[in-house]
Structure formats: C-alpha cells, structure tokens
Amino acid sequence: MNEITVQTKSRTAFIDITPAIQQFAAEQGMKDGVITIFVPHTTAGVTINENADPDVTADMETVLDRMVPWNGGYLHGEGNTAAHVKASLMGSSAQVIVKNGQLQLGIWQSLYFCEFDGPRTRKIWLKESA
Amino acid sequence: MNEITVQTKSRTAFIDITPAIQQFAAEQGMKDGVITIFVPHTTAGVTINENADPDVTADMETVLDRMVPWNGGYLHGEGNTAAHVKASLMGSSAQVIVKNGQLQLGIWQSLYFCEFDGPRTRKIWLKESA
Amino acid sequence: MNEITVQTKSRTAFIDITPAIQQFAAEQGMKDGVITIFVPHTTAGVTINENADPDVTADMETVLDRMVPWNGGYLHGEGNTAAHVKASLMGSSAQVIVKNGQLQLGIWQSLYFCEFDGPRTRKIWLKESA
C-alpha cells in the first residue's frame, strides 16, 4: 500500500489526482490490473469526472451544496454534517483499470479528490491488484 | 481488459448489462474473482438495482431529475451539468464477485448502465481480478 | 466468497459491520490485498463514514430522507422506491485495503451496512483479492 498527500486550500474543492495515480502505477511496475484509490477521511471522497472544463467540477460543488446545505438543522455537534453526507455520495474509493502500465480512463475523465471540509492536509491510499 | 458497446436511444436510460457481464466471465474462463465494470464516460455511470419491475429504474430517473434538474443556472457551457453530477452520484465503476464461473448477484439485482446524456454510443470496460 | 448476516430492526439504519469484516480478513489469513464487500439487496447499500459520533449517521438518514422522500408519487407499486434510490446513492459495494492482516481504515472511519427498507434479515458477501 502506498500513500499520497493532498493539501486542500478551501472548504470544498475537486483536485485532479490523475498524475499521482499514474506515477504510482509506474513506480509499482504495474502492467495489467486494477488500482484501488481509497480516501481514509469521512469528510472527503473521490470521484471521476470531466477534466476539460473546470466549470463542470465548479457546478458539481454547487449542486452538492444545493442537495446538502451546510446549515440544515443537523444533530452532529461539529457542524460539518453536510461534508459527511457528500463524502458518502461521492464514495470513499474508486477503481481504475491499468493496461500495459497505463491508467485506463476515458478521454475526458480525471480522478478527483473531493474536499468537503477543508482546508486540510489529506491522505490517499493506493493498492494494486493483479 | 475487454470492451463492450451500448447504444442508448434517449437522454436518460437504465440499460441492463448483466448478460454481457456474465458472458465476459464465461469467455475469460473465470472461476473465482471480482470483475471491475468501468464506464469511461463523464455523463454516464453504472449501478446495481432491481430488475423485476421496470418502474423502479423509471422512478430512479425521475428522482435523479428532481435532485439534479437539467436546467439549474449552471456554468458549464455544454448545458449537460446535470448529467455529469448524476454520473458521479451513481459512480463510474461497479464490482461484482464471481464464484464457480457465475456472477454473484442478489435475486432481484441487475447491473445497469446509466445513460444521462444520450442518445450516444457508449463503451464499458471490463477487467477480472483473481 | 463468504457471507455474513445482519438483522435490521427499523426501516432505516446504519449498522457498523467493521468488526465482522476484520474477522473475515483474519479467518482468511489475508496478509495484503483488497476486500470487496457486496450487498446483494436492492433496498440496502454500504458506505464508509464516521464512527465516533452516532449523530453523523443519524443526520445522514435525515438528509437522505429529505433528498428522496418516502412519498414521492412514484410508479413502483411496492411503495419503496425511496429505498431503491438510496441504495444506489450509497452503492452496493465497498472496497477496503488490507495490510499485514489489518483492515486499513481512517481513524474515524467504519464500514456501515445501510438499511433503507427494514426491518429485514440481510446478507453481505465478502471476497478477497490479492
């Protein structure tokens, strides 16, 4: 298992981690398999979406805020319930296929670390399966 | 890695791809393992849900439309922000266990390709892990 | 493939299954790999979220109810459309890394079985990959 670190700079952010995952595959000498990308946090997640127009992830942040408002009369005393819910909506892990050492993503796809309660220093765990 | 193609015929649709995944397992001669089903698009996803009553997936399309309306004052110039968000809500990949060559799904479960910005010709990538 | 059983006691509930998954890893003699946790039901799912304050999962149930109300004028005759949609929002499977025989989760993370149409007796399927 390997670990990478991401420093987020705002409460919410979608950060493209594709180059770090490709580098992991190369360092492992992976040829063919599946990489599990796991986020060990409860107010952050991971998703795959468009990398061409940054308005797409900006819109995703907006839509998630509308679906799960920060202030919602929640019970949780820390006040970041919305971040927890968004983390589960995006999910804690992603799986990507590797073929001939190359990450297999669609032409418009990138892997995004999703920060929902930053700014924080975050970890991402990576594991290859044959 | 293998690829299958799905032709969608409307803007949104849930298409049962279970037979194609079972066929993949058979062709690979898989006995026991896990199949990763990966959608290389940013306005489509994959999910597992009920196959008995088609009203279930019809309702899912309705609920997702209510949660993420097509017209929402979004920034993204292509106008299909809702499709991008729904893709991340459903997810880009699914994992299914194979045992003795058989896909292991619950009695009411099927694997659905989720089209959110069709009609289009779509790809699905498949990879087995031991 | 192994199976564990969960008995739920209310319509919705988030039940911590982490100890059962750790026990599975120990019984398999797993050292390093990935466990796929698969829910073979269409009105229940699995997610990873905070285990410290039970208000977090209570809030998650509340937010999901707001996003997908039980009564929504749905087509599906069984009347449990909301449970089906929530199952797909949380997802049917989770992946967790195992290292030196230990489940790798963040300090605040637990694995939750998500009941959305209980009370019922439910199954969870587990499969390790090397």
Side-chain angles (χ1 to χ4, degrees):
Chain A
M1 189 180 88
N2 279 46
E3 180 175 283
I4 60 176
T5 299
V6 174
Q7 177 62 51
T8 64
K9 293 172 180 162
S10 49
R11 179 183 282 173
T12 64
F14 279 61
I15 295 165
D16 190 342
I17 55 173
T18 312
I21 312 301
Q22 178 62 64
Q23 187 183 333
F24 166 78
E27 287 170 2
Q28 300 296 310
M30 277 188 81
K31 289 195 65 177
D32 294 284
V34 173
I35 300 179
T36 296
I37 297 117
F38 186 89
V39 172
H41 305 286
T42 58
T43 54
V46 60
T47 198
I48 292 171
N49 219 298
E50 177 173 325
N51 56 23
D53 178 4
D55 284 346
V56 170
T57 50
D59 281 344
M60 289 186 65
E61 294 181 48
T62 300
V63 173
L64 288 170
D65 276 339
R66 290 179 189 170
M67 287 170 52
V68 194
W70 190 261
N71 298 303
Y74 309 119
L75 300 173
H76 181 45
E78 279 189 78
N80 60 354
T81 284
H84 287 287
V85 178
K86 292 175 187 176
S88 279
L89 290 175
M90 294 296 100
S92 298
S93 72
Q95 281 70 37
V96 179
I97 300 168
V98 174
K99 182 180 171 182
N100 297 328
Q102 296 299 309
L103 227 52
Q104 300 296 298
L105 289 169
I107 190 163
W108 305 112
Q109 287 183 316
S110 278
L111 276 151
Y112 285 97
F113 176 83
C114 310
E115 174 64 83
F116 295 122
D117 191 25
R120 300 202 200 201
T121 304
R122 301 292 205 172
K123 305 290 186 189
I124 300 166
W125 295 341
L126 306 175
K127 174 73 183 167
E128 77 281 13
S129 301
Chain B
M1 189 181 89
N2 280 46
E3 180 175 283
I4 59 177
T5 299
V6 174
Q7 176 63 51
T8 64
K9 294 173 181 160
S10 49
R11 179 182 282 174
T12 64
F14 280 61
I15 296 165
D16 190 343
I17 55 172
T18 313
I21 312 301
Q22 178 62 64
Q23 187 183 333
F24 166 78
E27 286 170 2
Q28 300 297 310
M30 277 188 79
K31 289 196 64 177
D32 294 284
V34 173
I35 300 178
T36 296
I37 297 116
F38 186 89
V39 172
H41 304 286
T42 58
T43 55
V46 60
T47 196
I48 292 170
N49 219 298
E50 177 174 324
N51 55 26
D53 178 2
D55 284 345
V56 171
T57 50
D59 282 343
M60 290 187 65
E61 294 181 49
T62 300
V63 173
L64 288 170
D65 277 338
R66 291 179 190 169
M67 287 170 52
V68 193
W70 190 262
N71 297 303
Y74 309 119
L75 300 173
H76 181 46
E78 279 189 80
N80 60 355
T81 283
H84 287 286
V85 178
K86 292 175 187 177
S88 279
L89 290 174
M90 294 296 100
S92 298
S93 72
Q95 280 70 36
V96 179
I97 300 168
V98 174
K99 182 180 172 182
N100 297 327
Q102 296 298 310
L103 227 54
Q104 300 296 298
L105 289 168
I107 190 163
W108 305 113
Q109 288 183 316
S110 277
L111 277 151
Y112 286 96
F113 176 82
C114 311
E115 174 62 83
F116 295 123
D117 191 25
R120 298 202 201 201
T121 303
R122 300 292 204 170
K123 305 290 185 188
I124 301 167
W125 295 341
L126 306 174
K127 175 72 182 165
E128 76 282 13
S129 302
Chain C
M1 189 182 89
N2 279 46
E3 179 176 284
I4 60 176
T5 299
V6 174
Q7 177 64 51
T8 64
K9 294 173 180 161
S10 49
R11 178 182 283 173
T12 64
F14 279 62
I15 296 166
D16 190 343
I17 56 172
T18 313
I21 312 301
Q22 178 62 63
Q23 187 183 333
F24 166 78
E27 285 171 1
Q28 299 297 311
M30 277 188 79
K31 290 196 65 177
D32 294 285
V34 173
I35 300 179
T36 296
I37 297 117
F38 185 89
V39 172
H41 303 287
T42 58
T43 54
V46 60
T47 197
I48 292 170
N49 219 297
E50 178 175 324
N51 56 24
D53 178 3
D55 284 345
V56 171
T57 50
D59 282 343
M60 289 186 66
E61 293 182 49
T62 301
V63 173
L64 288 169
D65 276 339
R66 291 179 190 169
M67 287 169 54
V68 193
W70 190 262
N71 298 304
Y74 309 119
L75 300 174
H76 181 46
E78 280 189 78
N80 60 355
T81 284
H84 287 287
V85 178
K86 292 175 188 176
S88 279
L89 290 174
M90 294 296 101
S92 298
S93 72
Q95 282 70 37
V96 179
I97 300 168
V98 174
K99 182 179 172 183
N100 297 328
Q102 295 299 309
L103 227 54
Q104 300 296 299
L105 289 168
I107 191 163
W108 306 112
Q109 287 183 317
S110 277
L111 277 151
Y112 285 96
F113 176 82
C114 310
E115 175 63 83
F116 295 122
D117 191 26
R120 299 202 201 200
T121 304
R122 299 292 204 172
K123 304 291 185 188
I124 301 166
W125 295 341
L126 306 174
K127 175 72 182 167
E128 78 281 11
S129 302

